[in-house]
Structures are given as C-alpha cells and as structure tokens.
C-alpha cells in the first residue's frame, strides 16, 4: 500500500480532487490531500493546508491573498509548493502524486512535479495536455493527461477521466521498478553527425563495466542530461557533442540555454568535453534560415533541418566558452580537440570543412583553458578520437 499525494486548489477544485482521492482509496492506497489554493477556504479538508505550504517556503500568504492578484498567487504557490512536497518525498511520506487543474492549477501542479526525482510517479490531469507542453514538462518525466472537459465539477465525462487517471497513478505505484543493474552511470551527448564517435566511446566505456546513457543534443536533450547529472546519479560525463552552444550563441533553434555544461562542474565528477558539431547552427526548413546567414555555407540535413556553418568569429567565441566552462569545474576535466574535423560534414572534403574556423576554435581553447587540453590528429568520428576520449574518462573513474 502506497501513499499518493492528491494536490490541488481545493477552494475551486475540491470536488474533483475529493473524487480522485476516493478512487485511489478504493484501490487500496492511502491519500495525502494537499491544498495549494489561495482564494476562498477549501471546500474539503486537506491533510496539508495552504498555510503549511506557505510556511515551509517563508511565504506571506495572508499579505499575498489580501492583494487579490490571482496571477501573483499562482506564481507564489508555484514556487512554494515544490519546497514542501520535495521534503515529503525525501522523507518517504508519499510515493506518487496526482493533480488536476486548468491554467493556474496546472502551473502549480507541474511546478511541483518538475521538482521531484526522475522515476517518481507523477500525473497531471489538465485542460492543457495538447499543444506545446514543454513549459510544463521541462526535463521531467511527468505525465500530462487530457481532461477533455474543463476541470469544473463532476459530470459523465469527467468522472470517467478522473477514474482512469486515478487508476493510472495507482498503476504507476504498483508496477515494480526494474531492478537496478548496479552499474555506475555515464552520460554522453550525441548528434547524427557524431554518432560513430559516441557509439565507439560508449562501447569502450561499457566494456569497462559502466552503463552509458546517450542524450540527443537537441536542446531538450542537453537540458535533460544536465538535470540527470545534477541529480547525483552520474559517475562520469562524455560531453562529446556540445553543438547546443552554437545555437545558443548564434540564435539557432536547438539551444539548451546558458547553463549547458555547468552541471558536471558543479557535481565535481570526471568529464571529457569535445567541440562536436560546433561547426553548425541548426534551423528548420530552408526558408527559416535568417537572412543574415545568406552568405554562409548552408547544408540541408533533411527537409525539416537546415544547417549553417559557424564563422571564424563564432568559432573563436565558442572555444572561449568551452574553456571558461572547463575552468570552473571542481572535478577532473579535459577538452579533447579533433584536429581532423568537428562533424561528419566538417571533415576534409565535407561541405563544412573550414580549417580556419576550426583553428580559431582550437586556439581559443588552448589560450584560455587552464585545465587539460589535448589535440588529437583525427576527425571526431575516427575510432582513434573516440578511444582517446573514452580512455581519458575511464582513467579518472577507475583511478588507473
């Protein structure tokens, strides 16, 4: 039997959350009702009140409510509720969480869920489950379930939705987690243009007894990898495809934000960094490429993705950024430079082969980096380069 948190604005959505709670209890689990409302008094009695939520985060709830600004209240609860609920998870008092809501309730519920560990069951029943849900899901594994009708009372449709939602969260709790394999985790970043490199490095590291998780460097993938590193679950990092920084710098569509490359440094774990695919900026279909790039070398990766070659100036700045990031690392770190090219299409004979731009990037790294830098006389997808990266990381992780 598990305890499942049922979190919601119990002033306006009390009936719906009471129904969810009843369905969960009918399946043999316990419920912890959490009120994150900020309007009228709750219509059902919570186990954890809004006042307790506010106190846990040092929030002046009375002053907030007195201003009668609903947006301000939702924002404040979205910041406060994760503090208390994260504590409940850490103390083992709840084993899953479910919530239901419209715009405000979804903002609060998903803010809480994003703060909880990967693998912890979390389900949001919402009117906003279709369309672009990136702002609500982030890099978490929360599940968004369409409410079909508005979360505004019980009717013939909503009862069915809520009943199935309750069954779903109970099923998540009841499903046995796969037994841990016991292998230390290594994370790696990959793009189509660095696949051979990462696959070979992955093979070498896994033969040494590690499990390698590969993340697609598409913005979301980079953020997800950073989040996993920050969780404390990772033993080492093969960040061989740092292309998201080219998009962050030059305005491409696959940026992972300015915190990309920060998590490993803060965690103090061994990391190997390479400038994989920093020779390209990503855009959508060819007409989406900004006019300012019209004189650049442009390569259609596929009908939906168009690549623009980074310039000498951009490459120099990217090299400086890599060096600056590595300089801040608390643990062992090395920047490995593939002298033969940064991607499949950046090798000699490829459309993005530009020795001057690559040289500018390498020189910037070597000039600014106070940590280990090694230039390898091979292209990034050469097995020689992949092996050098893998063995550098293994030497630190194994102490050999």
């Amino acid at each position: 039997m598990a305890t499942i948190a049922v979190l919601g604005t119990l002033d306006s959505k009390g009936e719906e959350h009471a129904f969810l709670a009843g369905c969960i209890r009918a399946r043999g689990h316990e419920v912890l009702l959490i009120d994150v409302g900020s309007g009228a008094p709750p219509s059902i009695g919570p186990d954890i009140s809004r006042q307790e939520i506010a106190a846990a985060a040092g929030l002046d709830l009375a002053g907030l409510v007195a201003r009668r600004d609903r947006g301000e209240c939702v924002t404040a609860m979205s910041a406060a509720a994760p503090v208390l609920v994260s504590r409940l998870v850490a103390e083992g008092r709840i084993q899953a969480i479910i919530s239901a809501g419209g715009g405000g309730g979804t903002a609060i519920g998903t803010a809480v869920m994003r703060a909880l560990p990967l693998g912890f069951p979390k389900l949001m029943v919402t009117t906003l489950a279709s369309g672009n849900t990136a702002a609500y899901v982030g890099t978490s594994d929360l599940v968004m379930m369409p409410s079909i009708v508005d979360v505004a009372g019980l009717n013939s449709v909503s009862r069915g939705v809520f009943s199935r939602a309750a069954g779903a969260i109970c099923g998540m709790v009841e499903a046995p987690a796969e037994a841990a394999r016991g292998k230390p985790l290594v994370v790696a970043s990959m793009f189509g243009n660095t696949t051979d490199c990462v696959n070979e490095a992955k093979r070498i590291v896994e033969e040494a007894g590690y499990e390698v998780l590969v993340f697609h460097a598409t913005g979301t993938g980079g953020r997800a990898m950073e989040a996993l590193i920050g969780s404390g679950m990772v033993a080492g990092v093969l960040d061989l495809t740092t292309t998201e920084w080219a998009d962050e710098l030059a305005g491409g569509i696959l940026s992972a934000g300015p915190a990309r490359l920060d998590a490993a440094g803060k965690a103090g774990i061994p990391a190997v960094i390479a400038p994989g695919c920093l020779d390209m900026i990503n855009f959508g279909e060819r007409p989406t490429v900004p006019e300012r790039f019209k004189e650049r070398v442009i390569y259609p990766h596929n009908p939906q993705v168009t690549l623009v070659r980074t310039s000498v100036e951009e490459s120099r700045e990217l090299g400086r950024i890599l060096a600056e990031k590595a300089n801040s690392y608390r643990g062992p770190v090395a920047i490995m430079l593939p002298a033969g090219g940064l991607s499949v299409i950046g090798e000699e004979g490829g459309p993005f082969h530009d020795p001057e731009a690559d040289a500018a990037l390498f020189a910037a790294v070597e000039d600014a980096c106070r940590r280990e830098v090694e230039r390898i006389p091979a292209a990034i997808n050469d097995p020689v380069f992949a092996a050098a990266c893998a063995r550098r990381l293994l030497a630190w992780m194994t102490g050999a």
Side-chain angles (χ1 to χ4, degrees), residues 251-253 282-293 303-308:
I253 63 172
N282 291 267
F283 295 98
E285 297 176 353
R286 179 63 181 83
T288 69
V289 176
E291 185 68 18
R292 68 181 182 276
F293 295 119
Q304 288 76 42
V305 176
T306 308
L307 308 177
V308 173

Side-chain angles (χ1 to χ4, degrees), residues 21 56-57 66-67 135 151 155 180 221 224 245 255 257 271 276 282 285 321 327 329 340 352 366 371:
R67 289 193 290 274
V151 181
N155 53 59
W245 257 109
S255 167
N282 291 267
E285 297 176 353
I321 290 168
N327 288 341
Y329 276 39
F352 277 11
E366 291 167 338
R371 308 301 293 273

Side-chain angles (χ1 to χ4, degrees), residues 21-32:
C23 292
I24 291 168
R25 293 190 186 101
R27 294 185 65 94
H29 297 291
E30 295 184 354
V31 168
L32 189 73

Side-chain angles (χ1 to χ4, degrees), residues 42-320:
S43 60
I44 59 172
D47 299 302
I48 294 180
S49 69
R50 62 187 68 173
Q51 287 78 17
E52 290 175 84
I53 293 280
L59 176 66
D60 177 14
L61 183 61
L64 190 69
V65 172
R67 289 193 290 274
R68 297 186 179 182
D69 186 325
R70 184 173 182 274
E72 186 182 7
C73 290
V74 169
T75 300
M77 274 298 183
S78 296
V83 175
L84 188 143
V85 178
S86 293
R87 188 182 305 163
L88 295 176
V89 174
E91 294 171 353
R93 293 177 58 188
I94 58 172
Q95 287 73 54
I97 186 168
I98 187 170
S99 183
T106 299
I108 299 169
T110 56
V112 170
M113 294 176 192
R114 288 194 304 274
L116 304 183
L118 292 174
F120 187 87
K122 39 186 103 67
L123 175 61
M124 184 76 223
V125 185
T126 172
T127 58
L128 301 169
S130 61
N132 185 356
T133 60
Y136 298 104
V137 177
T139 59
S140 78
D141 58 349
L142 73 88
V143 177
M144 294 186 74
M145 180 175 178
S147 63
I148 309 302
V149 294
D150 198 0
V151 181
L154 298 176
N155 53 59
S156 57
V157 173
S158 63
R159 283 189 177 88
V161 172
F162 294 146
S163 295
R164 288 186 289 274
I169 197 66
C170 291
M172 291 182 199
V173 169
E174 294 161 7
E178 183 180 352
R181 295 172 60 188
K183 293 183 178 181
L185 292 181
V186 170
V187 296
S189 54
M190 188 170 79
F191 226 34
N193 272 282
T194 56
T195 297
D196 289 347
C197 172
V198 176
N199 282 345
E200 177 62 10
K202 178 177 182 286
R203 182 189 66 79
I204 294 169
V205 172
E206 289 191 333
E207 284 182 354
Y210 294 83
E211 181 180 4
V212 179
L213 307 181
V214 178
F215 291 81
H216 198 195
T218 56
T220 300
R223 289 192 296 272
M225 188 176 82
E226 296 280 319
L228 186 62
I229 295 169
S231 74
M233 298 171 59
V234 176
V237 179
L238 280 169
D239 208 343
L240 306 183
T241 312
T242 49
T243 185
E244 288 151 318
W245 257 109
D247 286 42
E248 172 69 14
L249 177 68
I253 63 172
L254 299 184
S255 167
R260 180 71 172 88
L261 291 171
D262 285 355
K266 293 176 181 176
I269 57 177
V272 172
I273 299 170
C277 294
L278 283 181
D279 53 0
M280 59 186 68
I281 311 160
N282 291 267
F283 295 98
E285 297 176 353
R286 179 63 181 83
T288 69
V289 176
E291 185 68 18
R292 68 181 182 276
F293 295 119
K294 67 179 182 179
E295 302 301 326
R296 300 279 189 96
V297 177
I298 296 175
Y299 179 78
H301 182 67
N302 61 44
Q304 288 76 42
V305 176
T306 308
L307 308 177
V308 173
R309 205 340 173 157
T310 44
S311 68
V312 171
E313 293 75 17
E314 289 162 348
S315 297
R316 184 177 294 111
E317 178 62 11
L318 289 167
R320 187 198 64 77

